Amino acid sequence: MLERQPILEVASLKLRPLTPEDWEALFAVAADPLIWDQHPAHDRWKEPVFRTFFDDALANKGALAVIDKSSGRIIGSSRYQGLNPENGGSVEIGWTFLAREFWGGPTNRELKRLMLTHALASINECRFAVGETNWRSRRAMEKIGGRLTEKKEDRGMAGSPSSHVIYVIDRASFAGGPLSLG
């Protein structure tokens, strides 16, 4: 079954399990309000709100620190969560954020390629829940071949209503899609 906290690497990035010692470096990235501007939790840049997010990431044991290999610094985070072993298996990839200096370039594509390659080697499908009005993330999902499948209403971490759309990338679409390794 899927190892949710692997160490994954390409030339520019390293992903490794998030640890409590990563708090300061990761909060330094997350404290930028523009990162969360279109996100349903638009106040996640505030320390108490981010602390809840960080603690949840550690508790769920699927969070990864994203490290820029050229500088050696943490530039963001992502997670594998909600592993479902039924029907060949599926997992949600999400809670991803990156320092703004890494927006618009290859970093998000490389991050998602690493995570998808790892996950789809042992399960059939990866899901991505994106805030319904988070147009930046929705465009990013479409660029990497995500297929829009549904809308869901749920409760955010603070208990407030939140509306998401779900994108899916499965093993077959990944093999020939824009992130494929071939």
Side-chain angles (χ1 to χ4, degrees):
M1 193 43 67
L2 176 67
E3 165 59 44
R4 293 187 319 129
Q5 285 193 300
I7 295 174
L8 304 172
E9 292 189 59
V10 290
S12 61
L13 294 176
K14 179 178 182 177
L15 280 61
R16 64 154 174 77
L18 188 69
T19 68
E21 292 76 26
D22 295 327
W23 162 256
E24 190 173 310
L26 195 57
F27 181 64
V29 174
D32 178 350
L34 289 177
I35 288 175
W36 310 104
D37 185 53
Q38 293 184 23
H39 194 276
H42 59 271
D43 62 349
R44 196 169 280 157
W45 60 272
K46 297 176 181 177
E47 187 170 350
V49 178
F50 188 74
R51 174 56 79 179
T52 300
F53 176 84
F54 185 83
D55 291 346
D56 181 68
L58 292 174
N60 281 293
K61 303 197 184 310
L64 301 168
V66 179
I67 299 164
D68 172 49
K69 287 174 74 173
S70 67
S71 67
R73 70 184 177 99
I74 291 178
I75 60 167
S77 180
S78 192
R79 298 188 206 182
Y80 290 113
Q81 194 156 308
L83 181 61
N84 180 350
E86 295 178 21
N87 300 318
S90 69
V91 72
E92 186 173 335
I93 294 175
W95 295 268
T96 306
F97 69 95
L98 294 169
R100 279 192 295 140
E101 68 192 83
F102 293 91
W103 290 5
T107 305
N108 188 50
R109 288 177 73 86
E110 289 300 313
L111 167 63
K112 295 302 190 307
R113 182 191 329 249
L114 277 169
M115 293 183 77
L116 284 161
T117 299
H118 173 72
L120 294 173
S122 59
I123 61 172
N124 286 333
E125 177 182 275
C126 295
R127 301 175 320 277
F128 301 80
V130 178
E132 186 176 19
T133 60
N134 187 342
W135 302 110
R136 184 171 39 244
S137 292
R138 290 183 70 171
R139 279 191 300 277
M141 281 308 309
E142 290 162 7
K143 281 182 183 178
I144 67 169
R147 180 174 40 88
L148 183 61
T149 61
E150 65 181 289
K151 176 182 171 183
K152 71 177 185 177
E153 301 285 334
D154 59 7
R155 293 270 170 207
M157 288 177 62
S160 59
S162 181
S163 182
H164 290 83
V165 292
I166 308 300
Y167 289 85
V168 171
I169 297 178
D170 61 23
R171 197 179 283 160
S173 64
F174 181 67
L179 289 180
S180 67
L181 298 173

